[in-house]
Amino acid sequence: MTTPLDDSVQYLKHVGPSRAEDFARLDIHTVRDLIWTFPRDLSDRSNLFRIVDLPEDRPATVVATALMVSERPAGRRRGRAGMSITTAEFADDSGGILEVVWFNQPWLKDKLPNRRVLIHGKVKHERGRWQMDHPLYEILPDDAPLHTLNFGRIVPIYPSTGSLNQGVWRRAMAHALDTRLEFLEDPLDPALVEEKGFMELREAIRAMHFPENPEQAKEARRRLVWDECFFLQLAVLAARRHALLDLPGRQFTIGPELDNRIRRLFPFKLTPAQDKAVRDIVRDMKSPLPMQRLLQGDVGSGKTAVAAYALLAAVANKAQACIMAPTSLLARQHHETFGRFLSNSANARVRIGVLVGGMPAAERRAVLERLANGTLDIVAATHSAIGDNVVFHDLGLVVIDEQHKFGVRQRFELSRKGVRPDLLVMTATPIPRSLALSVYGDLDLSVIDTLPPGRKPVKTLWVSQERPAEAWELMRRELSRGRQGFIVCPLVEESEDSDLNSAEQVFRELQAGELHGLRLELLHGRMKRPDQQAVMDRFRDGAVDAIVSTIVIEVGVDVPNATVMLVEHAERFGLAQLHQLRGRVGRGVDQGYFVMLSDAKGGEAGERMSALMASSDGFAIAEADLRIRGPGDFTGTRQHGLSGLRVADLVRDIDSMADARQTAAAVLEADAELVHREHLPLRRELVRLYGKQWDRVAGS
């Protein structure tokens, strides 16, 4: 059922087709999308100051009349050619004078004189008078009120792009709220809203955009945070309840003979931590209820071998299995790794394939046909496995690698390719237990908390970008010993807008300089996939000494002979990224080295690198990452499908999450399928947030 909230934003006053295209770039297509896009900040412009009372070195708003206005060229100094400066003097009834300067707005010379103007900017006091440089302003019509969308109130600040300046945002939002908000359904039972002491939903939405005071903004946020946590918990608890329903599911047979047969394929003995994870998985697979398990293990801990055990156990039971990875490189590496395991068995009849984007059409069709007719047992794939044209003959096990690169929707979409298949989710980004229970509350948890024997902790160094000789000396020493290395850069190519070293620039400089005479190759995400794969194959085969790369090698690259990695401009990478990158070296018996080149000294960048220097424990790194940059990027919720989390902070709002989880559990206990009349709005909201699969999850 559609409502005026589902109208395109282009039909709102002040928008139109062109601005609608700019909104679409922000994934805002409908009026509903718009009103659920909250300000990134609020600017308190509610207090109007007289000029003589202006606060020094703070932003302030004043209403005054323009007196003298002049305009002149900015001068001929570098960067100022063609620029102009407009200077105006303003006065009000306090007797004070405010001097204001604008750059490149010559039309103000004719528009400002003798007009009342609202002005907002940072105030400074110099040469005995008040001054503002390039402030925001609004010319007021005669007798107009001093409270507008932009001044005299708490003002929302939205993300600007293209034609979407703040004025456009606020006018479009105000029109949407005035004409469409009445059609918004509050999915919560009024009794629950009253019990929790919450604002009504429409009031909360309006107050998130245009609060009357800070307290109202706080109460609006409290309501919406709780709602987000509640629907997240309804989703994960409903999914878990559905997975554990006593419905016919696949019950795998895994006895001692099969266990021994699989273990003999590995050219190593599983560690005690791997063994424990395998026991958890075997217990789940032997159960008639579908496995729902999250496998956490730090970089290099051996998750792939555990996944391979599960995949081979499924195939031995005549089922198909799929492992989904976030990149083509990692999917292809899984394909090669499983092939190496199977090469150790003279009797192996397991048929494995790969399905990634950019494959030749004929090759892709052949893989799809074999999946559909059952002549392919295991496929290593990227997110392309989710596509509607991918049909499995009998999918019994889904493994999702690097879960933090995907989201809730992707994992359930892939699970729908079979009849209640077992699900194993893996991540090398350790998740604090409280966060795991919140975001992955539908999954049981296994942890591989030790590294394989013989592994030495990677030595981490922080070297100044201006004095990198120590770093290159270490790199050359390792390569001269027959070891291999990586040089990682944040950019592919040079840009006029950045002074960062690009991969292409560094590659050229190293060929002629510090690594002259060594075998170097370039690897980045803009290369064609076959070319990327060819570079990695040569690197694995030892035909390349070092790769100059972007973060395309962040996950999954496993070359035991690689012992050293140097990261240019390390301050530009996230803490989890740096930890992942560090995990690409020292995967053999030799000492590994991880070198961060950066001149960052403080702030978040400094905190990130200090945390990495202090610990190699992935869980300690995870806690630090969560503390430094918040949970949205950490869990992938902002970009990867955990819909609805627009306001909540999973650290700051953990108490709301716990309370919402308790309420969600009680609702599902009373009405597991959300079919009671008072719960139908909840069901509709789940479908809106998480897609139609939640109708299925709820049991219909």
Side-chain angles (χ1 to χ4, degrees):
M1 181 182 70
T2 61
T3 74
L5 287 168
D6 301 304
D7 291 346
S8 168
V9 289
Q10 74 168 317
Y11 300 119
L12 288 174
K13 194 184 294 183
H14 313 295
V15 180
S18 177
R19 285 172 175 162
E21 290 180 5
D22 286 335
F23 276 121
R25 293 188 183 97
L26 300 174
D27 203 23
I28 298 170
H29 305 279
T30 68
V31 177
R32 189 189 303 272
D33 295 335
L34 182 69
I35 67 172
W36 282 98
T37 302
F38 298 118
R40 59 177 173 80
D41 198 6
L42 294 172
S43 175
D44 191 347
R45 304 176 191 172
S46 56
N47 293 323
L48 296 178
F49 289 87
R50 299 190 312 160
I51 291 176
V52 294
D53 298 326
L54 284 169
E56 190 169 2
D57 293 325
R58 282 173 46 200
T61 305
V62 63
V63 59
T65 300
L67 302 177
M68 297 174 55
V69 184
S70 62
E71 187 257 334
R72 60 181 173 81
R76 296 185 177 181
R77 284 195 298 171
R78 183 177 178 181
R80 290 191 173 186
M83 293 179 63
S84 67
I85 296 176
T86 301
T87 304
E89 289 187 353
F90 288 87
D92 64 5
D93 58 9
S94 71
I97 297 293
L98 173 66
E99 182 179 276
V100 178
V101 172
W102 283 280
F103 300 99
N104 283 342
Q105 297 194 32
W107 56 87
L108 292 178
K109 181 181 178 182
D110 299 321
K111 292 179 66 175
L112 289 179
N114 303 313
R115 302 296 299 276
R116 272 198 323 160
V117 183
L118 277 163
I119 312 165
H120 177 83
K122 189 172 182 179
V123 182
K124 58 183 180 180
H125 194 257
E126 293 183 359
R127 300 189 305 276
R129 62 170 55 191
W130 298 104
Q131 297 179 337
M132 284 187 189
D133 288 340
H134 212 70
L136 301 170
Y137 68 92
E138 183 172 340
I139 299 174
L140 293 171
D142 294 339
D143 301 322
L146 300 183
H147 300 278
T148 71
L149 280 178
N150 303 307
F151 296 98
R153 66 188 310 155
I154 297 176
V155 176
I157 310 295
Y158 297 99
S160 296
T161 183
S163 63
L164 306 181
N165 58 42
Q166 294 302 313
V168 170
W169 264 102
R170 292 171 197 142
R171 290 192 297 272
M173 190 67 72
H175 182 61
L177 296 175
D178 290 343
T179 61
R180 307 297 208 285
L181 189 59
E182 63 182 288
F183 298 99
L184 182 67
E185 175 186 46
D186 191 336
L188 296 191
D189 189 309
L192 178 61
V193 173
E194 184 177 357
E195 175 193 334
K196 299 292 184 183
F198 288 146
M199 297 172 71
E200 192 270 335
L201 181 61
R202 294 172 192 151
E203 181 187 2
I205 294 286
R206 185 179 291 278
M208 284 293 291
H209 294 285
F210 297 105
E212 294 178 3
N213 52 62
E215 186 58 34
Q216 189 186 56
K218 180 180 178 181
E219 283 301 302
R221 183 185 184 278
R222 186 172 77 91
R223 164 70 202 263
L224 294 180
V225 162
W226 195 92
D227 278 23
E228 290 178 354
C229 294
F230 175 67
F231 284 105
L232 172 60
Q233 291 305 318
L234 268 184
V236 296
L237 292 176
R240 180 165 183 80
R241 179 180 289 269
H242 177 66
L244 297 180
L245 287 175
D246 191 15
L247 297 173
R250 188 184 298 273
Q251 190 167 5
F252 292 100
T253 300
I254 307 173
E257 181 182 348
L258 176 58
D259 178 78
N260 289 331
R261 203 163 74 229
I262 294 175
R263 288 175 184 269
R264 282 199 300 268
L265 298 177
F266 300 134
F268 46 78
K269 184 179 179 181
L270 297 183
T271 66
Q274 287 174 309
D275 268 328
K276 184 178 184 305
V278 165
R279 288 196 300 272
D280 290 342
I281 290 167
V282 167
R283 184 174 62 251
D284 289 350
M285 294 181 74
K286 291 170 71 172
S287 165
L289 304 176
M291 173 167 63
Q292 300 278 296
R293 186 162 292 277
L294 171 65
L295 176 62
Q296 289 188 191
D298 213 343
V299 287
S301 62
K303 297 182 301 301
T304 302
V306 173
Y309 184 106
L311 293 163
L312 294 170
V315 172
N317 280 263
K318 312 299 184 190
Q320 290 176 302
C322 173
I323 179 165
M324 187 167 75
T327 67
S328 297
L329 277 177
L330 184 50
R332 290 186 182 278
Q333 179 163 300
H334 282 321
H335 178 255
E336 293 172 7
T337 300
F338 302 148
R340 287 198 300 272
F341 289 158
L342 292 170
S343 69
N344 296 327
S345 171
N347 300 318
R349 299 183 182 86
V350 180
R351 300 156 297 186
I352 61 176
V354 64
L355 182 66
V356 297
M359 293 173 63
E363 185 180 343
R364 179 179 175 83
R365 279 196 304 271
V367 172
L368 294 179
E369 288 174 7
R370 295 183 65 198
L371 286 175
N373 64 28
T375 58
L376 197 59
D377 300 310
I378 297 174
V379 64
T382 57
H383 64 276
S384 57
I386 299 174
D388 292 338
N389 63 336
V390 181
V391 177
F392 288 83
H393 177 71
D394 184 17
L395 181 62
L397 173 67
V398 171
V399 178
I400 298 183
D401 197 6
E402 298 300 339
Q403 162 63 25
H404 68 288
K405 296 289 185 179
F406 297 105
V408 173
R409 285 188 177 184
Q410 287 93 333
R411 115 177 157 224
F412 281 96
E413 283 296 324
L414 185 54
S415 291
R416 293 180 67 191
K417 298 289 183 179
V419 179
R420 297 173 60 75
D422 281 4
L423 175 68
L424 176 64
V425 171
M426 303 196 300
T427 178
T429 301
I431 302 166
R433 184 168 294 271
S434 62
L435 198 58
L437 288 174
S438 298
V439 180
Y440 302 106
D442 56 321
L443 304 176
D444 296 312
L445 183 63
S446 293
V447 178
I448 303 177
D449 53 7
T450 58
L451 295 178
R455 290 273 180 92
K456 300 174 182 176
V458 175
K459 291 185 178 179
T460 303
L461 307 173
W462 182 356
V463 177
S464 169
Q465 194 89 33
E466 295 180 353
R467 295 184 297 278
E470 174 189 356
W472 293 117
E473 182 181 341
L474 172 61
M475 173 72 72
R476 195 164 185 97
R477 186 191 75 205
E478 286 296 297
L479 300 187
S480 68
R481 294 176 58 234
R483 306 300 175 235
Q484 292 166 282
F486 300 96
I487 300 94
V488 181
C489 306
L491 301 175
V492 175
E493 57 192 19
E494 293 178 70
S495 166
E496 293 182 359
D497 299 326
S498 175
D499 60 356
L500 302 181
N501 294 339
S502 72
E504 291 179 341
Q505 174 192 351
V506 169
F507 178 69
R508 292 192 299 267
E509 291 176 353
L510 292 179
Q511 280 185 314
E514 288 89 347
L515 301 184
H516 176 68
L518 293 168
R519 299 168 298 175
L520 305 182
E521 294 225 20
L522 182 64
L523 179 69
H524 56 73
R526 293 186 190 172
M527 295 168 60
K528 294 180 179 179
R529 288 185 177 89
D531 294 338
Q532 291 182 21
Q533 193 61 43
V535 171
M536 284 309 306
D537 289 344
R538 290 193 292 274
F539 189 67
R540 259 188 222 99
D541 294 341
V544 175
D545 296 315
I547 288 178
V548 179
S549 172
T550 58
I551 59 168
V552 70
I553 54 94
E554 175 190 352
V555 295
V557 174
D558 186 7
V559 180
N561 193 45
T563 60
V564 58
M565 177 180 289
L566 187 150
V567 180
E568 293 265 5
H569 293 285
E571 74 277 0
R572 297 302 295 255
F573 296 88
L575 181 51
Q577 274 186 323
L578 290 171
H579 184 57
Q580 285 279 347
L581 288 168
R582 180 167 61 178
R584 300 307 108 210
V585 294
R587 298 174 74 90
V589 296
D590 295 302
Q591 178 64 58
Y593 299 90
F594 183 73
V595 184
M596 299 179 290
L597 278 181
S598 176
D599 289 328
K601 295 179 175 60
E604 285 191 12
E607 282 190 76
R608 289 196 297 271
M609 288 182 287
S610 295
L612 207 70
M613 292 281 290
S615 178
S616 59
D617 179 348
F619 286 91
I621 295 293
E623 293 285 2
D625 198 17
L626 195 61
R627 183 186 69 251
I628 293 169
R629 67 186 177 116
D633 291 328
F634 181 88
T635 60
T637 59
R638 289 180 188 154
Q639 297 85 3
H640 298 293
L642 199 60
S643 304
L645 289 180
R646 299 171 182 266
V647 186
D649 179 321
L650 294 177
V651 178
R652 171 183 171 187
D653 300 313
I654 193 65
D655 289 342
S656 290
M657 182 67 75
D659 182 69
R661 186 178 180 87
Q662 187 175 16
T663 303
V667 168
L668 292 173
E669 186 66 31
D671 181 12
E673 298 181 3
L674 301 179
V675 294
H676 295 172
R677 183 176 180 181
E678 67 271 23
H679 295 150
L680 290 178
L682 301 181
R683 186 175 185 134
R684 287 193 291 270
E685 186 70 359
L686 276 176
V687 171
R688 185 184 75 79
L689 290 172
Y690 296 101
K692 292 183 179 179
Q693 66 264 34
W694 293 101
D695 263 334
R696 175 180 178 271
V697 166
S700 62

